[in-house]
Amino acid sequence: ALFLAGATFTLRDSTIEGISTATIGTILYGGRGIIATSGAALDIAHSTVRDCSSIGLLLDGTGHATIAGATIAGNALTGIWLQNGPAGGDQLTLTGSTITDNRAAGIALFRSCGVTISDTRIEKTTSAQWHDALIGDGLTAYGNGLADGGCPLTLARVTFADNFRAGLIADGIEGSAALAGLSFSQVTVERSAAEAPGKYGIIIQNGIAPSGLMTAVTANPFAAADAALDTPLTLITEEQELNGTKYHR
């Protein structure tokens, strides 16, 4: 695995694959292809992270990544995972990439802050058992930072296709706040065939979509199912505290 703490690193035309290191001493380790934390700055272009036994790319706290023209594929517990983002943070800029065939979630944001995704396809996420629920979503965003306009999640020209359960789930935790950090432009949900995976398109739960947000969704074959859903969907939200810092389990 590539572990970065407080460092700047550039990855070009490269492949990181098949990482299966056991977890030893800290929850940040263990089957992760790339880990960036403590102010690390990662610049990835035209590279692939695939077939890791856990998360392909983990961004923690003040770690930041700029990713262009990448493929994140076949990882066993999310392609990209962001966590513990500071208020006013800038954790991820992702453009022109393909997130495909990962398990549980293509991209999972867990109390993250400052995410911009553009010209990217998030597809074919496969299922995983999480307690009593089968999950498998293109992008999940969990945390009350979604209600903060200074903590944006911006999607432009992003396509969700053939994910096992949902294309996108945004969960504000609180239940009634407007999720002012959400911004969409030309967001599309696709289903390649009638028998292709998928139950929901775009779900906003435990919070309210900002005015006009859904008008930027250009297609969603699951719109009726989205509107009929009356119980929040289960997301991966458990934490473990280690040396005073909470990490995803």
Side-chain angles (χ1 to χ4, degrees):
L2 176 62
F3 181 84
L4 303 171
T8 298
F9 189 84
T10 298
L11 191 71
R12 293 284 186 274
D13 302 303
S14 300
T15 297
I16 293 177
E17 62 183 339
I19 302 299
S20 58
T21 309
T23 297
I24 300 174
T26 171
I27 202 69
L28 288 178
Y29 294 93
R32 279 75 163 158
I34 303 174
I35 303 156
T37 187
S38 302
L42 181 61
D43 184 1
I44 299 175
H46 309 296
S47 295
T48 298
V49 181
R50 69 186 183 202
D51 300 331
C52 298
S53 66
S54 181
I55 297 165
L57 168 62
L58 169 63
L59 300 177
D60 173 60
T62 54
H64 169 80
T66 299
I67 304 172
T71 299
I72 312 293
N75 299 289
L77 184 63
T78 76
I80 300 174
W81 180 277
L82 276 66
Q83 63 184 24
N84 304 328
D90 178 22
Q91 285 191 297
L92 175 66
T93 301
L94 173 68
T95 187
S97 296
T98 300
I99 315 298
T100 185
D101 199 32
N102 298 286
R103 191 164 176 254
I107 301 173
L109 312 178
F110 185 76
R111 295 195 171 99
S112 61
C113 189
V115 176
T116 300
I117 303 173
S118 62
D119 301 298
T120 289
R121 189 173 180 89
I122 303 173
E123 63 176 14
K124 300 178 182 177
T125 305
T126 59
S127 65
Q129 188 73 40
W130 185 254
H131 298 296
D132 59 351
L134 270 178
I135 63 175
D137 310 300
L139 187 155
T140 63
Y142 175 86
N144 48 21
L146 292 170
D148 181 356
C151 207
L153 168 56
T154 301
L155 306 182
R157 299 171 303 283
V158 173
T159 297
F160 299 97
D162 296 344
N163 296 291
F164 173 79
R165 183 175 62 168
L168 179 148
I169 306 171
D171 189 322
I173 303 178
E174 300 296 331
S176 59
L179 305 186
L182 292 178
S183 175
F184 292 172
S185 174
Q186 297 181 50
V187 171
T188 301
V189 180
E190 294 180 355
R191 195 177 200 185
S192 62
E195 66 275 14
K199 298 178 181 178
Y200 304 103
I202 296 176
I203 299 296
I204 310 296
Q205 62 186 35
N206 296 318
I208 301 169
S211 177
L213 181 75
M214 303 307 285
T215 63
V217 178
T218 59
N220 180 7
F222 304 102
D226 296 351
L229 183 67
D230 58 5
T231 302
L233 298 174
T234 298
L235 301 182
I236 300 175
T237 58
E238 289 188 5
E239 297 174 314
Q240 175 172 314
E241 186 163 328
L242 180 70
N243 298 327
T245 301
K246 289 183 177 180
Y247 296 110
H248 164 245
R249 189 178 297 278

mmCIF file of all heavy atoms in Angstrom, residues 184-234:
data_model
loop_
_atom_site.group_PDB
_atom_site.id
_atom_site.type_symbol
_atom_site.label_atom_id
_atom_site.label_comp_id
_atom_site.label_asym_id
_atom_site.label_seq_id
_atom_site.Cartn_x
_atom_site.Cartn_y
_atom_site.Cartn_z
ATOM 1 N N PHE A 184 -25.995 19.967 -7.998
ATOM 2 C CA PHE A 184 -26.003 19.086 -9.167
ATOM 3 C C PHE A 184 -26.012 19.911 -10.450
ATOM 4 O O PHE A 184 -26.643 20.961 -10.521
ATOM 5 C CB PHE A 184 -27.259 18.204 -9.200
ATOM 6 C CG PHE A 184 -27.367 17.169 -8.129
ATOM 7 C CD1 PHE A 184 -28.550 16.448 -7.988
ATOM 8 C CD2 PHE A 184 -26.322 16.874 -7.275
ATOM 9 C CE1 PHE A 184 -28.689 15.473 -7.019
ATOM 10 C CE2 PHE A 184 -26.443 15.911 -6.287
ATOM 11 C CZ PHE A 184 -27.637 15.203 -6.162
ATOM 12 N N SER A 185 -25.332 19.381 -11.473
ATOM 13 C CA SER A 185 -25.439 19.895 -12.830
ATOM 14 C C SER A 185 -25.292 18.715 -13.780
ATOM 15 O O SER A 185 -24.261 18.033 -13.774
ATOM 16 C CB SER A 185 -24.354 20.938 -13.098
ATOM 17 O OG SER A 185 -24.366 21.342 -14.458
ATOM 18 N N GLN A 186 -26.329 18.444 -14.554
ATOM 19 C CA GLN A 186 -26.326 17.351 -15.526
ATOM 20 C C GLN A 186 -25.929 16.018 -14.882
ATOM 21 O O GLN A 186 -24.969 15.357 -15.290
ATOM 22 C CB GLN A 186 -25.393 17.670 -16.699
ATOM 23 C CG GLN A 186 -25.833 18.888 -17.496
ATOM 24 C CD GLN A 186 -24.910 19.175 -18.661
ATOM 25 O OE1 GLN A 186 -24.609 18.271 -19.452
ATOM 26 N NE2 GLN A 186 -24.466 20.404 -18.779
ATOM 27 N N VAL A 187 -26.683 15.646 -13.886
ATOM 28 C CA VAL A 187 -26.515 14.342 -13.232
ATOM 29 C C VAL A 187 -27.495 13.356 -13.871
ATOM 30 O O VAL A 187 -28.672 13.663 -14.037
ATOM 31 C CB VAL A 187 -26.760 14.454 -11.714
ATOM 32 C CG1 VAL A 187 -26.801 13.077 -11.063
ATOM 33 C CG2 VAL A 187 -25.678 15.323 -11.074
ATOM 34 N N THR A 188 -26.991 12.171 -14.225
ATOM 35 C CA THR A 188 -27.790 11.188 -14.948
ATOM 36 C C THR A 188 -27.755 9.841 -14.243
ATOM 37 O O THR A 188 -26.697 9.406 -13.776
ATOM 38 C CB THR A 188 -27.257 11.010 -16.384
ATOM 39 O OG1 THR A 188 -27.294 12.276 -17.059
ATOM 40 C CG2 THR A 188 -28.081 9.997 -17.163
ATOM 41 N N VAL A 189 -28.906 9.207 -14.178
ATOM 42 C CA VAL A 189 -28.994 7.816 -13.715
ATOM 43 C C VAL A 189 -29.405 6.965 -14.905
ATOM 44 O O VAL A 189 -30.377 7.281 -15.604
ATOM 45 C CB VAL A 189 -30.007 7.658 -12.571
ATOM 46 C CG1 VAL A 189 -30.064 6.202 -12.118
ATOM 47 C CG2 VAL A 189 -29.654 8.575 -11.409
ATOM 48 N N GLU A 190 -28.666 5.886 -15.145
ATOM 49 C CA GLU A 190 -28.943 5.001 -16.268
ATOM 50 C C GLU A 190 -29.190 3.580 -15.789
ATOM 51 O O GLU A 190 -28.699 3.163 -14.740
ATOM 52 C CB GLU A 190 -27.752 4.967 -17.239
ATOM 53 C CG GLU A 190 -27.467 6.265 -17.950
ATOM 54 C CD GLU A 190 -26.269 6.146 -18.883
ATOM 55 O OE1 GLU A 190 -25.618 5.073 -18.882
ATOM 56 O OE2 GLU A 190 -25.978 7.125 -19.589
ATOM 57 N N ARG A 191 -29.945 2.841 -16.612
ATOM 58 C CA ARG A 191 -30.087 1.394 -16.443
ATOM 59 C C ARG A 191 -29.933 0.782 -17.817
ATOM 60 O O ARG A 191 -30.724 1.049 -18.718
ATOM 61 C CB ARG A 191 -31.447 1.061 -15.836
ATOM 62 C CG ARG A 191 -31.542 -0.353 -15.304
ATOM 63 C CD ARG A 191 -32.890 -0.615 -14.640
ATOM 64 N NE ARG A 191 -32.839 -1.754 -13.753
ATOM 65 C CZ ARG A 191 -33.896 -2.242 -13.122
ATOM 66 N NH1 ARG A 191 -35.089 -1.667 -13.274
ATOM 67 N NH2 ARG A 191 -33.777 -3.294 -12.321
ATOM 68 N N SER A 192 -28.913 -0.048 -17.994
ATOM 69 C CA SER A 192 -28.550 -0.488 -19.340
ATOM 70 C C SER A 192 -29.569 -1.452 -19.934
ATOM 71 O O SER A 192 -29.678 -1.562 -21.155
ATOM 72 C CB SER A 192 -27.167 -1.136 -19.324
ATOM 73 O OG SER A 192 -27.165 -2.288 -18.502
ATOM 74 N N ALA A 193 -30.303 -2.165 -19.064
ATOM 75 C CA ALA A 193 -31.314 -3.105 -19.544
ATOM 76 C C ALA A 193 -32.324 -3.327 -18.428
ATOM 77 O O ALA A 193 -32.048 -3.062 -17.255
ATOM 78 C CB ALA A 193 -30.668 -4.431 -19.955
ATOM 79 N N ALA A 194 -33.491 -3.854 -18.768
ATOM 80 C CA ALA A 194 -34.551 -4.049 -17.773
ATOM 81 C C ALA A 194 -34.110 -4.968 -16.650
ATOM 82 O O ALA A 194 -34.535 -4.814 -15.498
ATOM 83 C CB ALA A 194 -35.797 -4.604 -18.455
ATOM 84 N N GLU A 195 -33.230 -5.921 -16.958
ATOM 85 C CA GLU A 195 -32.780 -6.865 -15.940
ATOM 86 C C GLU A 195 -31.499 -6.405 -15.238
ATOM 87 O O GLU A 195 -30.955 -7.113 -14.378
ATOM 88 C CB GLU A 195 -32.550 -8.253 -16.567
ATOM 89 C CG GLU A 195 -31.412 -8.317 -17.583
ATOM 90 C CD GLU A 195 -31.831 -7.911 -18.989
ATOM 91 O OE1 GLU A 195 -32.926 -7.332 -19.148
ATOM 92 O OE2 GLU A 195 -31.041 -8.171 -19.917
ATOM 93 N N ALA A 196 -30.988 -5.237 -15.583
ATOM 94 C CA ALA A 196 -29.770 -4.721 -14.961
ATOM 95 C C ALA A 196 -30.023 -4.388 -13.490
ATOM 96 O O ALA A 196 -31.153 -4.120 -13.083
ATOM 97 C CB ALA A 196 -29.285 -3.489 -15.704
ATOM 98 N N PRO A 197 -28.971 -4.381 -12.658
ATOM 99 C CA PRO A 197 -29.148 -4.073 -11.239
ATOM 100 C C PRO A 197 -29.684 -2.655 -11.029
ATOM 101 O O PRO A 197 -29.550 -1.782 -11.879
ATOM 102 C CB PRO A 197 -27.722 -4.205 -10.673
ATOM 103 C CG PRO A 197 -26.975 -5.036 -11.662
ATOM 104 C CD PRO A 197 -27.575 -4.705 -12.995
ATOM 105 N N GLY A 198 -30.248 -2.448 -9.845
ATOM 106 C CA GLY A 198 -30.710 -1.114 -9.475
ATOM 107 C C GLY A 198 -32.114 -1.136 -8.906
ATOM 108 O O GLY A 198 -33.002 -1.814 -9.434
ATOM 109 N N LYS A 199 -32.306 -0.401 -7.790
ATOM 110 C CA LYS A 199 -33.617 -0.260 -7.174
ATOM 111 C C LYS A 199 -34.016 1.208 -7.034
ATOM 112 O O LYS A 199 -35.197 1.540 -7.117
ATOM 113 C CB LYS A 199 -33.627 -0.921 -5.797
ATOM 114 C CG LYS A 199 -33.367 -2.414 -5.819
ATOM 115 C CD LYS A 199 -33.344 -2.990 -4.412
ATOM 116 C CE LYS A 199 -33.063 -4.492 -4.441
ATOM 117 N NZ LYS A 199 -32.988 -5.059 -3.059
ATOM 118 N N TYR A 200 -33.023 2.062 -6.809
ATOM 119 C CA TYR A 200 -33.274 3.487 -6.597
ATOM 120 C C TYR A 200 -32.262 4.307 -7.397
ATOM 121 O O TYR A 200 -31.178 3.833 -7.739
ATOM 122 C CB TYR A 200 -33.158 3.843 -5.111
ATOM 123 C CG TYR A 200 -34.064 3.036 -4.223
ATOM 124 C CD1 TYR A 200 -33.563 1.976 -3.467
ATOM 125 C CD2 TYR A 200 -35.422 3.321 -4.135
ATOM 126 C CE1 TYR A 200 -34.392 1.213 -2.656
ATOM 127 C CE2 TYR A 200 -36.262 2.562 -3.329
ATOM 128 C CZ TYR A 200 -35.737 1.516 -2.590
ATOM 129 O OH TYR A 200 -36.564 0.763 -1.792
ATOM 130 N N GLY A 201 -32.640 5.547 -7.674
ATOM 131 C CA GLY A 201 -31.757 6.443 -8.414
ATOM 132 C C GLY A 201 -31.027 7.400 -7.501
ATOM 133 O O GLY A 201 -29.838 7.234 -7.217
ATOM 134 N N ILE A 202 -31.742 8.433 -7.032
ATOM 135 C CA ILE A 202 -31.139 9.457 -6.164
ATOM 136 C C ILE A 202 -32.025 9.632 -4.937
ATOM 137 O O ILE A 202 -33.189 10.024 -5.046
ATOM 138 C CB ILE A 202 -30.984 10.785 -6.908
ATOM 139 C CG1 ILE A 202 -30.003 10.602 -8.074
ATOM 140 C CG2 ILE A 202 -30.504 11.891 -5.963
ATOM 141 C CD1 ILE A 202 -29.842 11.814 -8.947
ATOM 142 N N ILE A 203 -31.456 9.326 -3.780
ATOM 143 C CA ILE A 203 -32.193 9.378 -2.521
ATOM 144 C C ILE A 203 -31.595 10.459 -1.622
ATOM 145 O O ILE A 203 -30.388 10.451 -1.349
ATOM 146 C CB ILE A 203 -32.146 8.020 -1.792
ATOM 147 C CG1 ILE A 203 -32.784 6.926 -2.641
ATOM 148 C CG2 ILE A 203 -32.798 8.123 -0.414
ATOM 149 C CD1 ILE A 203 -34.250 7.109 -2.922
ATOM 150 N N ILE A 204 -32.437 11.386 -1.180
ATOM 151 C CA ILE A 204 -32.063 12.372 -0.164
ATOM 152 C C ILE A 204 -32.824 11.980 1.104
ATOM 153 O O ILE A 204 -34.070 11.995 1.102
ATOM 154 C CB ILE A 204 -32.441 13.805 -0.589
ATOM 155 C CG1 ILE A 204 -31.938 14.116 -2.003
ATOM 156 C CG2 ILE A 204 -31.927 14.810 0.433
ATOM 157 C CD1 ILE A 204 -30.455 14.114 -2.173
ATOM 158 N N GLN A 205 -32.117 11.630 2.160
ATOM 159 C CA GLN A 205 -32.798 11.156 3.364
ATOM 160 C C GLN A 205 -32.244 11.839 4.610
ATOM 161 O O GLN A 205 -31.098 12.312 4.626
ATOM 162 C CB GLN A 205 -32.676 9.636 3.491
ATOM 163 C CG GLN A 205 -31.257 9.110 3.619
ATOM 164 C CD GLN A 205 -31.199 7.584 3.587
ATOM 165 O OE1 GLN A 205 -31.965 6.915 2.894
ATOM 166 N NE2 GLN A 205 -30.276 7.004 4.354
ATOM 167 N N ASN A 206 -33.075 11.908 5.637
ATOM 168 C CA ASN A 206 -32.711 12.597 6.878
ATOM 169 C C ASN A 206 -32.232 14.020 6.591
ATOM 170 O O ASN A 206 -31.247 14.504 7.171
ATOM 171 C CB ASN A 206 -31.645 11.812 7.651
ATOM 172 C CG ASN A 206 -32.165 10.466 8.116
ATOM 173 O OD1 ASN A 206 -33.296 10.357 8.574
ATOM 174 N ND2 ASN A 206 -31.352 9.435 7.975
ATOM 175 N N GLY A 207 -32.932 14.668 5.711
ATOM 176 C CA GLY A 207 -32.632 16.034 5.302
ATOM 177 C C GLY A 207 -33.488 16.388 4.101
ATOM 178 O O GLY A 207 -34.187 15.528 3.547
ATOM 179 N N ILE A 208 -33.418 17.626 3.676
ATOM 180 C CA ILE A 208 -34.245 18.126 2.588
ATOM 181 C C ILE A 208 -33.351 18.572 1.438
ATOM 182 O O ILE A 208 -32.337 19.254 1.649
ATOM 183 C CB ILE A 208 -35.117 19.301 3.066
ATOM 184 C CG1 ILE A 208 -36.023 18.844 4.221
ATOM 185 C CG2 ILE A 208 -35.958 19.867 1.928
ATOM 186 C CD1 ILE A 208 -36.723 19.981 4.918
ATOM 187 N N ALA A 209 -33.727 18.200 0.226
ATOM 188 C CA ALA A 209 -32.959 18.636 -0.948
ATOM 189 C C ALA A 209 -33.069 20.146 -1.117
ATOM 190 O O ALA A 209 -34.152 20.717 -0.951
ATOM 191 C CB ALA A 209 -33.471 17.935 -2.198
ATOM 192 N N PRO A 210 -31.979 20.831 -1.457
ATOM 193 C CA PRO A 210 -32.067 22.264 -1.742
ATOM 194 C C PRO A 210 -33.036 22.530 -2.891
ATOM 195 O O PRO A 210 -33.210 21.693 -3.781
ATOM 196 C CB PRO A 210 -30.634 22.628 -2.139
ATOM 197 C CG PRO A 210 -29.781 21.553 -1.580
ATOM 198 C CD PRO A 210 -30.610 20.309 -1.591
ATOM 199 N N SER A 211 -33.639 23.680 -2.891
ATOM 200 C CA SER A 211 -34.584 24.057 -3.937
ATOM 201 C C SER A 211 -33.936 23.952 -5.311
ATOM 202 O O SER A 211 -32.831 24.454 -5.532
ATOM 203 C CB SER A 211 -35.073 25.489 -3.705
ATOM 204 O OG SER A 211 -35.928 25.896 -4.746
ATOM 205 N N GLY A 212 -34.607 23.270 -6.223
ATOM 206 C CA GLY A 212 -34.134 23.172 -7.597
ATOM 207 C C GLY A 212 -33.088 22.104 -7.839
ATOM 208 O O GLY A 212 -32.678 21.900 -8.996
ATOM 209 N N LEU A 213 -32.648 21.404 -6.792
ATOM 210 C CA LEU A 213 -31.573 20.420 -6.961
ATOM 211 C C LEU A 213 -31.937 19.370 -8.005
ATOM 212 O O LEU A 213 -31.149 19.076 -8.908
ATOM 213 C CB LEU A 213 -31.275 19.734 -5.626
ATOM 214 C CG LEU A 213 -30.156 18.690 -5.673
ATOM 215 C CD1 LEU A 213 -28.795 19.367 -5.743
ATOM 216 C CD2 LEU A 213 -30.210 17.772 -4.435
ATOM 217 N N MET A 214 -33.131 18.804 -7.911
ATOM 218 C CA MET A 214 -33.477 17.669 -8.752
ATOM 219 C C MET A 214 -33.784 18.063 -10.194
ATOM 220 O O MET A 214 -33.841 17.190 -11.069
ATOM 221 C CB MET A 214 -34.662 16.915 -8.150
ATOM 222 C CG MET A 214 -34.415 16.438 -6.710
ATOM 223 S SD MET A 214 -32.895 15.461 -6.509
ATOM 224 C CE MET A 214 -33.413 13.936 -7.250
ATOM 225 N N THR A 215 -33.955 19.340 -10.460
ATOM 226 C CA THR A 215 -34.165 19.762 -11.845
ATOM 227 C C THR A 215 -32.902 19.579 -12.680
ATOM 228 O O THR A 215 -32.963 19.593 -13.905
ATOM 229 C CB THR A 215 -34.611 21.233 -11.917
ATOM 230 O OG1 THR A 215 -33.578 22.071 -11.388
ATOM 231 C CG2 THR A 215 -35.888 21.453 -11.120
ATOM 232 N N ALA A 216 -31.753 19.402 -12.010
ATOM 233 C CA ALA A 216 -30.494 19.183 -12.720
ATOM 234 C C ALA A 216 -30.233 17.712 -12.997
ATOM 235 O O ALA A 216 -29.181 17.358 -13.528
ATOM 236 C CB ALA A 216 -29.331 19.782 -11.920
ATOM 237 N N VAL A 217 -31.188 16.847 -12.649
ATOM 238 C CA VAL A 217 -31.084 15.416 -12.960
ATOM 239 C C VAL A 217 -31.704 15.199 -14.337
ATOM 240 O O VAL A 217 -32.906 15.362 -14.532
ATOM 241 C CB VAL A 217 -31.793 14.566 -11.893
ATOM 242 C CG1 VAL A 217 -31.726 13.081 -12.266
ATOM 243 C CG2 VAL A 217 -31.165 14.807 -10.518
ATOM 244 N N THR A 218 -30.883 14.835 -15.306
ATOM 245 C CA THR A 218 -31.341 14.770 -16.697
ATOM 246 C C THR A 218 -32.122 13.495 -17.009
ATOM 247 O O THR A 218 -32.930 13.478 -17.953
ATOM 248 C CB THR A 218 -30.149 14.882 -17.654
ATOM 249 O OG1 THR A 218 -29.231 13.802 -17.386
ATOM 250 C CG2 THR A 218 -29.416 16.201 -17.463
ATOM 251 N N ALA A 219 -31.873 12.410 -16.268
ATOM 252 C CA ALA A 219 -32.616 11.167 -16.456
ATOM 253 C C ALA A 219 -32.516 10.348 -15.185
ATOM 254 O O ALA A 219 -31.474 10.338 -14.526
ATOM 255 C CB ALA A 219 -32.061 10.369 -17.633
ATOM 256 N N ASN A 220 -33.616 9.646 -14.856
ATOM 257 C CA ASN A 220 -33.633 8.788 -13.678
ATOM 258 C C ASN A 220 -34.761 7.774 -13.829
ATOM 259 O O ASN A 220 -35.914 8.075 -13.531
ATOM 260 C CB ASN A 220 -33.823 9.600 -12.396
ATOM 261 C CG ASN A 220 -33.851 8.719 -11.154
ATOM 262 O OD1 ASN A 220 -33.610 7.516 -11.221
ATOM 263 N ND2 ASN A 220 -34.149 9.323 -10.021
ATOM 264 N N PRO A 221 -34.457 6.564 -14.289
ATOM 265 C CA PRO A 221 -35.512 5.565 -14.485
ATOM 266 C C PRO A 221 -36.129 5.069 -13.178
ATOM 267 O O PRO A 221 -37.136 4.355 -13.203
ATOM 268 C CB PRO A 221 -34.784 4.427 -15.214
ATOM 269 C CG PRO A 221 -33.351 4.595 -14.841
ATOM 270 C CD PRO A 221 -33.130 6.066 -14.695
ATOM 271 N N PHE A 222 -35.542 5.454 -12.048
ATOM 272 C CA PHE A 222 -36.038 5.014 -10.746
ATOM 273 C C PHE A 222 -36.779 6.127 -10.004
ATOM 274 O O PHE A 222 -37.005 6.023 -8.794
ATOM 275 C CB PHE A 222 -34.875 4.528 -9.884
ATOM 276 C CG PHE A 222 -34.051 3.444 -10.509
ATOM 277 C CD1 PHE A 222 -32.823 3.745 -11.081
ATOM 278 C CD2 PHE A 222 -34.503 2.136 -10.559
ATOM 279 C CE1 PHE A 222 -32.047 2.755 -11.663
ATOM 280 C CE2 PHE A 222 -33.743 1.137 -11.147
ATOM 281 C CZ PHE A 222 -32.512 1.441 -11.705
ATOM 282 N N ALA A 223 -37.161 7.184 -10.686
ATOM 283 C CA ALA A 223 -37.755 8.345 -10.018
ATOM 284 C C ALA A 223 -38.994 7.973 -9.211
ATOM 285 O O ALA A 223 -39.195 8.467 -8.086
ATOM 286 C CB ALA A 223 -38.083 9.429 -11.041
ATOM 287 N N ALA A 224 -39.840 7.090 -9.731
ATOM 288 C CA ALA A 224 -41.056 6.703 -9.009
ATOM 289 C C ALA A 224 -40.715 5.935 -7.736
ATOM 290 O O ALA A 224 -41.325 6.161 -6.675
ATOM 291 C CB ALA A 224 -41.961 5.868 -9.911
ATOM 292 N N ALA A 225 -39.741 5.037 -7.818
ATOM 293 C CA ALA A 225 -39.318 4.285 -6.630
ATOM 294 C C ALA A 225 -38.679 5.209 -5.598
ATOM 295 O O ALA A 225 -38.890 5.053 -4.388
ATOM 296 C CB ALA A 225 -38.343 3.184 -7.027
ATOM 297 N N ASP A 226 -37.913 6.186 -6.059
ATOM 298 C CA ASP A 226 -37.306 7.161 -5.145
ATOM 299 C C ASP A 226 -38.387 7.909 -4.366
ATOM 300 O O ASP A 226 -38.303 8.081 -3.143
ATOM 301 C CB ASP A 226 -36.456 8.175 -5.917
ATOM 302 C CG ASP A 226 -35.254 7.548 -6.611
ATOM 303 O OD1 ASP A 226 -34.963 6.361 -6.365
ATOM 304 O OD2 ASP A 226 -34.619 8.266 -7.415
ATOM 305 N N ALA A 227 -39.398 8.360 -5.080
ATOM 306 C CA ALA A 227 -40.459 9.152 -4.457
ATOM 307 C C ALA A 227 -41.281 8.329 -3.478
ATOM 308 O O ALA A 227 -41.800 8.859 -2.481
ATOM 309 C CB ALA A 227 -41.361 9.746 -5.533
ATOM 310 N N ALA A 228 -41.409 7.016 -3.729
ATOM 311 C CA ALA A 228 -42.233 6.159 -2.882
ATOM 312 C C ALA A 228 -41.519 5.682 -1.624
ATOM 313 O O ALA A 228 -42.161 5.217 -0.685
ATOM 314 C CB ALA A 228 -42.708 4.952 -3.689
ATOM 315 N N LEU A 229 -40.194 5.817 -1.593
ATOM 316 C CA LEU A 229 -39.431 5.324 -0.440
ATOM 317 C C LEU A 229 -39.783 6.130 0.809
ATOM 318 O O LEU A 229 -39.688 7.359 0.813
ATOM 319 C CB LEU A 229 -37.933 5.429 -0.729
ATOM 320 C CG LEU A 229 -37.001 4.881 0.355
ATOM 321 C CD1 LEU A 229 -37.143 3.366 0.480
ATOM 322 C CD2 LEU A 229 -35.546 5.259 0.043
ATOM 323 N N ASP A 230 -40.176 5.449 1.882
ATOM 324 C CA ASP A 230 -40.560 6.162 3.100
ATOM 325 C C ASP A 230 -39.753 5.763 4.325
ATOM 326 O O ASP A 230 -40.040 6.185 5.443
ATOM 327 C CB ASP A 230 -42.055 5.969 3.386
ATOM 328 C CG ASP A 230 -42.439 4.497 3.537
ATOM 329 O OD1 ASP A 230 -41.531 3.633 3.521
ATOM 330 O OD2 ASP A 230 -43.639 4.215 3.660
ATOM 331 N N THR A 231 -38.707 4.954 4.130
ATOM 332 C CA THR A 231 -37.820 4.544 5.221
ATOM 333 C C THR A 231 -36.380 4.765 4.791
ATOM 334 O O THR A 231 -36.000 4.336 3.696
ATOM 335 C CB THR A 231 -38.022 3.049 5.554
ATOM 336 O OG1 THR A 231 -39.386 2.831 5.905
ATOM 337 C CG2 THR A 231 -37.126 2.635 6.713
ATOM 338 N N PRO A 232 -35.554 5.433 5.600
ATOM 339 C CA PRO A 232 -34.165 5.664 5.194
ATOM 340 C C PRO A 232 -33.424 4.364 4.899
ATOM 341 O O PRO A 232 -33.623 3.347 5.575
ATOM 342 C CB PRO A 232 -33.558 6.377 6.417
ATOM 343 C CG PRO A 232 -34.726 7.031 7.092
ATOM 344 C CD PRO A 232 -35.879 6.085 6.888
ATOM 345 N N LEU A 233 -32.586 4.395 3.900
ATOM 346 C CA LEU A 233 -31.776 3.242 3.544
ATOM 347 C C LEU A 233 -30.563 3.142 4.470
ATOM 348 O O LEU A 233 -30.008 4.153 4.908
ATOM 349 C CB LEU A 233 -31.314 3.355 2.094
ATOM 350 C CG LEU A 233 -32.418 3.373 1.038
ATOM 351 C CD1 LEU A 233 -31.822 3.637 -0.347
ATOM 352 C CD2 LEU A 233 -33.221 2.079 1.039
ATOM 353 N N THR A 234 -30.148 1.921 4.742
ATOM 354 C CA THR A 234 -29.001 1.670 5.611
ATOM 355 C C THR A 234 -27.699 2.033 4.902
ATOM 356 O O THR A 234 -27.477 1.652 3.760
ATOM 357 C CB THR A 234 -28.963 0.183 6.015
ATOM 358 O OG1 THR A 234 -30.148 -0.126 6.740
ATOM 359 C CG2 THR A 234 -27.748 -0.121 6.873
#
